[in-house]
Amino acid sequence: MKRITLSICLLLTVLSCKQGTPDKNLSTDTTKPRDYAANLDTGKGVINNTNSPHVKLKSIDIGDCRWTEGFWADKWKVAEETMIPHMGEILKGDIGHGYNNFKIAAGLKEGEHKGFWWHDGDFYKWMEAKMYIYGVNKDEKIVEEINEIIDVIAQAQQADGYLSTPAIIRDDIEPFTNRRYHELYNSGHLLTSACIHYRLTGKTNFLDIAVKHADYLYKIFSPKPDHLKRFGFNQTQIMGLVELYRTTKDKRYLELAEQFINMRGTYKIEDDETTKGYPIGDMVQERVPLREETEAVGHAVLALYFYAGAADVYAETGEKELIDALERLWDNVTNKKMYITGAIGQTHYGRSSRLDKIEEGFIDEYMMPNMTAYNETCANICNSMFNYRMLTLTGDAKHGDIMELVLHNSGLSGISLDGKNYYYSNPLRKIEGALDYEKMNVEFPERQPYLKCFCCPPNLWCVP
């Protein structure tokens, strides 16, 4: 029981165009700042569910629970002194290039966009991790560093509130023309990171950016234009919108979060201009509406982010169909598709039970290869994030058990003991010479000092 309580405290402490197409110069009412600061919530939890009506366990403030000695205290020290600062050196330098992208978008630096479409989101995750460190050690140099970055991000943000550096920098991309550009993934991590910054500093400089951006999203998505119906497949924006609702008490954000859930599975599954270049159907959980789904399918990270976001929405609405679906999906993941380490996502390439092409995710029930198991670090951590939310909703200790399983195994395996090297995939078995790693893109024989797809490292703040 002590181990379960310790793991729960861990998460509470450091997790707690043409018709209708948006134009880069789109003029909306988001160009004018609005007064929202007088109504801000004072809760300081990682997931601030203090006022959520449908939870059984309420959040505590960041920093209220901490380790003073032992295994997790040692891990926290590595994160504080090495892991997060080293990650910042990478992302703010010419290798990671995340900060450079914002500088270029802001007109402060010459150059071209580098990294994957979702690199902004990964940079926001690092900023969030940095603030969790501040929440415990109160080192004001951290706030100074983050505020300097926020100033650059504010300059990169477009007048209408749009903020995703690939489309700002590149001339061949327009906002929200193809979902593979992962704009809403970037949005979700922006909103969450800004909420955490406000909760820990009391300052609204980052929150101002988030509110302006969320107002822009509401403006273009709430009318439900046909060409935007299939966006939102990497569903961090649902969690981000709910946290922004909890922070600002603006019900439009909760409404939009629920809309993203409701849109899935309501249209014909075929390629169109907004989907080309990325698998469709079960890969992105769009073949079956969430409330009717019985099986975890597709990309494991996309699925578990989706489920976690839906759990956040349920915490506010109490909709029975939603929690029933989440309970079914939890059972399917945990009892039929999860490894003994708490890892999920059995394969790099495969197909769903409904014969859709999938990548980095779920395949048939009980099909559990060991040596070729994919088990992306992000997916494993997302499993813990989903279970944390289910724990707060139900109070059932089984969800704490899964959190603990991930934290001590498939989450922790993603980072080296010194906090400087990373695994993307986490198979259960390795035999020297059995796999040709030179033909693989994210599977490695040893942990790597840098991953070109850098989504997993900044998610690891959930572990130490």
Side-chain angles (χ1 to χ4, degrees), residues 1-49:
M1 184 64 189
K2 282 185 177 179
R3 296 199 307 273
I4 294 174
T5 303
L6 181 63
S7 295
I8 292 170
C9 286
L10 167 67
L11 263 289
L12 287 168
T13 306
V14 296
L15 174 88
S16 215
C17 137
K18 311 263 179 168
Q19 180 186 352
T21 302
D23 183 83
K24 289 182 181 178
N25 299 310
L26 180 68
S27 177
T28 74
D29 55 9
T30 60
T31 58
K32 297 180 180 179
R34 61 184 181 85
D35 184 16
Y36 66 90
N39 199 38
L40 294 177
D41 191 85
T42 58
K44 297 180 181 180
V46 176
I47 298 174
N48 182 26
N49 66 7

Side-chain angles (χ1 to χ4, degrees), residues 175-455:
F176 292 108
T177 51
N178 190 304
R179 67 186 185 185
R180 69 188 175 97
Y181 299 140
H182 284 72
E183 287 147 304
L184 287 173
Y185 170 87
N186 293 335
S187 297
H189 288 300
L190 163 64
L191 303 184
T192 300
S193 187
C195 287
I196 296 303
H197 179 269
Y198 162 71
R199 290 169 190 170
L200 288 170
T201 67
K203 306 297 183 183
T204 63
N205 50 333
F206 203 6
L207 201 61
D208 290 342
I209 297 170
V211 166
K212 183 176 181 179
H213 182 65
D215 287 352
Y216 165 80
L217 294 180
Y218 187 84
K219 177 80 173 182
I220 67 169
F221 278 96
S222 62
K224 303 177 184 177
D226 188 65
H227 76 282
L228 292 179
K229 64 188 177 185
R230 298 178 71 175
F231 278 78
F233 70 97
N234 199 346
Q235 302 274 36
T236 66
Q237 85 281 358
I238 298 177
M239 292 181 285
L241 284 164
V242 174
E243 284 307 317
L244 194 62
Y245 159 71
R246 290 167 171 168
T247 301
T248 65
K249 305 175 186 177
D250 189 328
K251 292 185 178 180
R252 295 178 306 154
Y253 304 145
L254 176 61
E255 173 192 325
L256 185 57
E258 187 171 14
Q259 180 176 314
F260 281 117
I261 296 173
N262 298 343
M263 286 194 300
R264 311 309 287 170
T266 61
Y267 41 76
K268 187 175 182 179
I269 307 302
E270 61 184 5
D271 262 325
D272 60 36
E273 291 301 318
T274 68
T275 67
K276 288 183 177 178
Y278 201 84
I280 63 176
D282 279 342
M283 169 67 172
V284 295
Q285 298 83 42
E286 65 178 349
R287 190 166 289 284
V288 178
L290 179 65
R291 294 169 179 83
E292 300 173 16
E293 185 60 275
T294 59
E295 179 185 6
V297 296
H299 194 296
V301 176
L302 310 191
L304 271 293
Y305 273 149
F306 190 15
Y307 305 163
D312 282 339
V313 170
Y314 171 80
E316 307 304 326
T317 67
E319 183 196 338
K320 187 176 186 303
E321 274 193 287
L322 210 49
I323 191 63
D324 287 348
L326 294 175
E327 293 278 15
R328 286 195 309 270
L329 291 164
W330 180 89
D331 180 73
N332 185 256
V333 170
T334 305
N335 294 316
K336 298 178 181 180
K337 298 193 177 188
M338 186 182 76
Y339 284 88
I340 195 172
T341 59
I344 57 172
Q346 303 110 295
T347 189
H348 193 161
Y349 299 104
R351 58 114 177 108
S352 71
S353 62
R354 294 185 279 255
L355 306 184
D356 281 337
K357 173 186 176 183
I358 69 100
E359 299 174 3
E360 303 180 295
F362 296 112
I363 48 178
D364 290 354
E365 296 170 354
Y366 307 112
M367 187 178 288
M368 312 293 290
N370 286 325
M371 192 162 62
T372 60
Y374 195 66
N375 295 347
E376 181 183 340
T377 300
C378 277
N380 307 336
I381 292 171
C382 286
N383 193 20
S384 184
M385 292 170 66
F386 174 48
N387 273 278
Y388 171 60
R389 285 160 170 80
M390 292 299 287
L391 177 66
T392 66
L393 299 181
T394 67
D396 194 323
K398 67 183 182 182
H399 298 297
D401 291 343
I402 302 302
M403 291 163 57
E404 182 180 36
L405 188 64
V406 171
L407 292 172
H408 286 90
N409 295 279
S410 55
L412 205 56
S413 62
I415 186 75
S416 62
L417 290 174
D418 65 1
K420 292 185 176 182
N421 296 281
Y422 317 102
Y423 267 145
Y424 193 99
S425 64
N426 299 268
L428 274 70
R429 185 185 189 194
K430 288 196 173 188
I431 300 175
E432 186 174 357
L435 298 177
D436 187 353
Y437 290 104
E438 291 185 2
K439 294 181 179 179
M440 299 177 173
N441 54 9
V442 290
E443 294 95 337
F444 304 100
E446 306 275 348
R447 291 181 181 86
Q448 301 295 296
Y450 177 67
L451 301 174
K452 186 177 180 181
C453 181
F454 208 68
C455 56

Side-chain angles (χ1 to χ4, degrees), residues 49-190:
N49 66 7
T50 305
N51 299 311
S52 301
H54 302 285
V55 299
K56 294 187 176 179
L57 298 178
K58 300 284 188 176
S59 57
I60 62 173
D61 288 350
I62 299 167
D64 281 358
C65 178
R66 63 186 70 190
W67 297 273
T68 56
E69 61 182 11
F71 179 82
W72 286 110
D74 293 342
K75 293 299 179 187
W76 178 267
K77 185 176 181 180
V78 171
E80 177 185 10
E81 297 180 357
T82 304
M83 175 182 160
I84 304 303
H86 177 70
M87 204 176 292
E89 292 173 4
I90 293 173
L91 288 169
K92 293 178 70 178
D94 292 333
I95 296 176
H97 207 75
Y99 194 26
N100 285 345
N101 287 334
F102 284 104
K103 289 181 178 179
I104 295 167
L108 303 174
K109 183 182 179 69
E110 295 292 327
E112 60 186 31
H113 182 272
K114 293 183 180 179
F116 287 99
W117 309 118
W118 50 88
H119 211 41
D120 291 4
D122 300 337
F123 190 75
Y124 295 136
K125 283 191 284 186
W126 169 77
M127 293 175 67
E128 184 182 349
K130 194 84 172 177
M131 290 309 302
Y132 291 131
I133 299 297
Y134 169 75
V136 173
N137 70 15
K138 301 300 180 182
D139 183 353
E140 291 298 327
K141 291 181 180 179
I142 293 176
V143 178
E144 293 172 8
E145 179 185 10
I146 296 299
N147 283 342
E148 181 181 303
I149 295 170
I150 292 170
D151 182 60
V152 172
I153 294 173
Q155 295 178 67
Q157 186 173 33
Q158 303 299 279
D160 59 9
Y162 180 83
L163 185 54
S164 192
T165 62
I168 296 172
I169 295 170
R170 294 175 54 151
D171 294 330
D172 60 337
I173 298 175
E174 293 294 326
F176 292 108
T177 51
N178 190 304
R179 67 186 185 185
R180 69 188 175 97
Y181 299 140
H182 284 72
E183 287 147 304
L184 287 173
Y185 170 87
N186 293 335
S187 297
H189 288 300
L190 163 64

